[in-house]
Amino acid sequence: MTNTAIPRQPHPVSLATDQPLISRDSSLSLVEQIVRALAARIDDRLLRSGARMPSIRQFADQHGVSRFTVIEAYDRLVAGGHLESRRGSGFYVRERAPHLSAAAPDADAVNSQLDVVWLARNMFRQLPPQKMPGSGLLPADWLDAELVGNGLRAVSRQNPTLLLQYGSPQGFLPLRQQLQLKLAELEIQTTPEQIVTTSGVTQALDLVARQFLRPGDTVFVDDPAWFLMFGSFAALGARVIGIPRTADGPDVAKLAELAALHRPKLFVINSVLHNPTSGSLSSAKAFQILKIAEQYDFHIAEDDIYCDLHPGSAIQPATRIAALDQLHRVIYLGGFSKTLAANLRVGFIAASPALAQTLADRKILSSLTSTEIGERVIYKVLSEGHYRKHAERLRGKLDRARERTLRQLERIGLDVAGSPAAGMFVWVDTGRDTNRLTERAMAEGWLLAPGSLFSPHQLASPRMRLNIAAMADPGIWRFLEEALAQS
Amino acid sequence: MTNTAIPRQPHPVSLATDQPLISRDSSLSLVEQIVRALAARIDDRLLRSGARMPSIRQFADQHGVSRFTVIEAYDRLVAGGHLESRRGSGFYVRERAPHLSAAAPDADAVNSQLDVVWLARNMFRQLPPQKMPGSGLLPADWLDAELVGNGLRAVSRQNPTLLLQYGSPQGFLPLRQQLQLKLAELEIQTTPEQIVTTSGVTQALDLVARQFLRPGDTVFVDDPAWFLMFGSFAALGARVIGIPRTADGPDVAKLAELAALHRPKLFVINSVLHNPTSGSLSSAKAFQILKIAEQYDFHIAEDDIYCDLHPGSAIQPATRIAALDQLHRVIYLGGFSKTLAANLRVGFIAASPALAQTLADRKILSSLTSTEIGERVIYKVLSEGHYRKHAERLRGKLDRARERTLRQLERIGLDVAGSPAAGMFVWVDTGRDTNRLTERAMAEGWLLAPGSLFSPHQLASPRMRLNIAAMADPGIWRFLEEALAQS
């Protein structure tokens, strides 16, 4: 973890020279916009602890807002712990609480997740989307706010009595029936009884990990892989081992060798549109992985969150191990954060009937039920038949953005792993330490996703993940060109 | 766990003599009503595995619905795994998957939670509310569906773009600001930074338990106490020890003695309107508990979910330990499932700044963010000032229901613990094993909450918890009288 050189206190940015904090077109109030913009800068350490804020009058003049607006915004930032008011002297960026209290009883156990969490937190910043080539989500203007908004309005007109009681712990039944149809198209046969809804794929993975992993157990992941789960597994006391990912899936010789050596309980894998490389599994690899899992008796958690960004096997292979195994040894995970709306927090698990029941029990123990609102919204969207077209549109836009991005990358001399023909990410080789690059980028207001984030051991890496939907701003290309020329 | 004699296969109930399955007044479709009613009976074992269902024609005639409706309902029950169709012979109740697969890797570890979870699941059944004196929620018609519905409709008219991205991992800021005000009224000083929203108090407790408990650690709970947490703590490998609850709080001599002996990491307590006795902590006890916690250096998780059902200290003492300690050693938990809407799943944690940050990190690892919709709805309700009046109305209704219930209990010769003057529960002494009583009740379609549920070791008990808001149906009183006369 020591080689993750992400800065704790990058160069301060003066408010005056920064991009505009507020927009008259925003649906947010001016106060809310100022609060969010300043809180984000403070959280990102773009404003140093102890730095003095412009006076209320200065700020009002600089940004063309009323003093009353500034007072209210500053007050809320004080209440939120971002600023402090020193009587007679003005407002200052407050000393932030440390991320983990030294007094916390298990600081040691959690320490190993610290950087991952700190970096993950940056993913939630309210930076403008074009400033976030490191983001794992599509920008809001790529998605269909109307589709989601109409769904929510329809749900809000339903009988609100439904909200007063707990919903079904296993999830809204009509949604699970829709998911059964969706999975059937992927050649995975289930019943709604085998499906459990979750608060995004994150809770799905957490429930599966808590089911299979005890302290000291080994879990295999792709290397590289989605970073948040490393922290989650570490918190369970599990040993995380990466299986090198090649163009058409994991290195199966290595997988067999490491399985014999470490006897893992679980292998978590993106079969289709792997994050971050956007590669997908060949049928042959899927078969070999399942054989190895049978031989060494481990389970496979197949995270298919990018499912609907895949254009179909005519373009790129797309084999789900679950289609071979039919949910005996494979647990299939999916969700709608990438294509519909991350904040609805709707994910799901499909598993054998008995395991699904056990996971539903675990869900009861950890959160009783999930809220049905999001599940009803997703159900509306799926059942009314607009989703397929929406996904198709997204894929078309991604194809065009990918082509532009690959052309630009070639122009500035950067290599891309594989020949990505689908998905929202490219995995770029910069030829230098991307932690350092990320640090510089952050100081200039860009969020990057350095390779270390995706390494099971946070090893520094010359690679980084670019979100092709967030590469339209010429500024990011200028930044990359300059940064690469200098180092 | 062996003495929890809850039946796995109680007396089968013929569909024909049962209460009506369907109502023309329901907002649910006929198909949906039939599916829910039958699924609930099958899940509750009121319909035996292998039992033959009425034919489609019989069912349609008996219940005055079209055959098409019955076909669709049966088909959905087949898809849902509740029924199976045997060609040429009709529909049968399907052999249910065992709750925990023998093949599940940690069946042993989870086995100890089995009964709790099985019983908990019954709490989610869609029985008519007047059939559920064992429920932990107020009946839907006691709550204000319009208040919640208006809130949701207002949120659904907001800019849907807000839903497309992840929200703030710590929770919707304006709600946290409202909660700060709410806590200030309870003399607990916080900042919004110290508050983390959760998916109900259940997730709050799960996050706190995962923070403080490692396998082998000891956690203290009230005895009796809310049952779901026993399963959650057992799943973490923690040892659960009950501290006997007296009228004005825990037996503090016992607490000191057991603390010296077991050195717990955490004590989870309902200070106000304890579930199931509805007793509240005296100031003296609160002080003593905090002193003992300091002496033996454990944390206190103060679960105040019944907060707003308490009428104020004029009627009954209501001391929060957090008000004495100001969130140094105490973690305060609250939520809105009891007074507004369980399905919105909005709870929260207030803790020291550093611990709040750590718990927010844990929340990221286990579910990224919580959905903002429910948080925005609760914020609307709180900030528009209708909540206080709503809570007042609820307390008034509860007072009247409590008086009626206590009178009836006296009439049939049952004792109540303490002299409950507030809250939604009474803790009744029946003088006989309430597991057996629960079993009989379930066979007749009543859900009770036997004392064993609330015992940290699921010991059989002559007590049971009654929800006074669910005691209006004369049938439950007839059932109790008859059952008590016979045994």
Side-chain angles (χ1 to χ4, degrees), chain A residues 450-461:
Chain A
S452 59
L453 259 182
F454 303 88
S455 156
H457 302 289
Q458 282 71 55
L459 301 178
S461 155

Side-chain angles (χ1 to χ4, degrees), chain B residues 407-414 430 432 437 440 444 446 448 464 471 473-487:
Chain B
R407 226 175 19 235
Q408 291 271 42
L409 286 169
E410 196 179 347
R411 185 179 62 77
I412 65 173
L414 291 186
T430 66
R432 64 218 78 197
L437 192 66
R440 279 190 61 167
E444 299 193 20
W446 301 99
L448 297 183
M464 66 178 171
M471 298 301 290
D473 187 330
I476 182 64
W477 294 105
R478 272 199 305 275
F479 166 78
L480 287 176
E481 272 189 289
E482 284 172 23
L484 297 175
Q486 283 171 26
S487 55

Side-chain angles (χ1 to χ4, degrees), chain A residues 132-145:
Chain A
M132 299 180 71
S135 169
L137 291 183
L138 292 174
D141 60 0
W142 277 59
L143 298 175
D144 194 338

Side-chain angles (χ1 to χ4, degrees), chain A residues 79 106 121 210 214 365, chain B residues 106 113 192 210 214 361 365:
Chain A
D106 63 344
R121 252 190 244 144
R210 288 170 84 171
R214 299 284 158 269
L365 293 178
Chain B
D106 63 344
Q113 336 158 11
R210 287 170 85 171
R214 298 285 158 267
D361 288 350
L365 292 178

